[in-house]
Amino acid sequence: MCASPSPRGSQAPPPLPLFLLCLLAATRRSVADSTSPGSPFTSLPAREEMMAKYSNLSLEIHNISLTEHSSVPVKKNITLERSSNIELTCQFTTSGDLNAVNVTWKKDDEVLENYSLINRTGNILYTQYKFTITKSNQMGSYSCFFGEKKEHRGTFHFKVPEIQGKHKPIVTYVGDSTILACKCQDCFPLNWTWYSSNGSVQVPVDTQMNKFYVISGAHGNETKLKITQLSEEDRGSYWCHAVFQLGESENLIELVVLSYLVPLKPFLAIVAEVILLVAAILLCEMYTQKKKKQPDEGKEFEQIEQLKSDDSSNGIENNAPRHRKNSVTSK
């Protein structure tokens, strides 16, 4: 009760402060009634006040269309670099009864109870979700669900910009210099940081402790890490890390540092193979020549023996007639 009757029967006007309190209470009750969860429409929810507070931010408007024949979820990736007002709209077309379709909004796996606006036009059902992203934990997936005989889903996935760099390993040699570069297309990170690793732990690249490291473009859309007088200890994984207002992003670059003897190894291996091949050919040739000489030597031996036998036989025949002549002469 804002005021009670006077016990003396005279009605006195309520004090001004008490009148203002009653008026404020009535206003709060009317606002609470207009934003009750049972109503499909919200006239002036808190999200409108929040978006009015951040009216200087840019407005991001995104839409997804679904039909009763959609067999797979529809997904839309949205890149967001800084705080923004967001307006997401899902529309669902069906030939069935629109009043039998349940609508649900979720952020990741958490159900969003309020701040959805539902409208029906013909055979199309619209649902809209407005909010403001100012923190990194507000990034992620926002999904609209339309439930009839089966559930249809549309998902808006918010992420910070991706960092572009060289995907193939950079190969260089001991004593040379190299430059590792990363770039953010159409975006400007608040800060860049370089990390190196030869194992599982990332270590910040300290240009003050290592005079062979030089970092440039720490506050632009592109950063470079120059390494001079490379050694084999410099090989490994390097990450360029970009910090945005709504999150962080990084890119991996592999660096391979070779010794000058490494390119000679294939050449030496080829030379060794050639030497072995030539040696094998020579051995085969020598073996073949030896096999040929053995039959020739046997034939020569047989010829010599044959000649000896022929000579001996000829000598006997020659001596026999001589003996005969001598005997005849003596007679």
Side-chain angles (χ1 to χ4, degrees), residues 43 64 74 84 88 91 104 107 128 132 163 191 230 240 251 259 262 285 294 299 316 327:
S43 60
I64 283 181
V74 178
S84 302
L88 306 179
Q91 71 176 51
T104 307
K107 185 205 180 290
Q128 192 176 71
T132 301
I163 305 304
N191 191 24
L230 285 164
C240 54
N251 183 64
S259 172
V262 173
E285 187 70 23
Q294 287 179 354
K299 291 179 180 180
I316 294 172
S327 59

Side-chain angles (χ1 to χ4, degrees), residues 94 96-103 120 122 125 147-148:
T94 178
D97 184 11
L98 290 177
N99 294 319
V101 179
N102 295 322
V103 180
R120 295 173 175 86
L125 179 62
E148 196 179 12

Side-chain angles (χ1 to χ4, degrees), residues 288-305:
T288 304
Q289 293 294 334
K290 187 176 181 181
K291 291 285 289 184
K292 288 182 178 180
K293 287 181 179 180
Q294 287 179 354
D296 294 341
E297 291 176 355
K299 291 179 180 180
E300 290 179 359
F301 180 78
E302 290 178 358
Q303 291 176 357
I304 294 172
E305 291 296 326

Side-chain angles (χ1 to χ4, degrees), residues 9 27 38 66 91 93 119 129 141 193 214 264 275 289 322 330:
T27 304
L66 299 169
Q91 71 176 51
T93 305
N119 191 12
Y129 185 60
S141 297
T193 307
V214 179
L264 295 177
I275 292 174
Q289 293 294 334
R322 290 175 183 173
S330 60

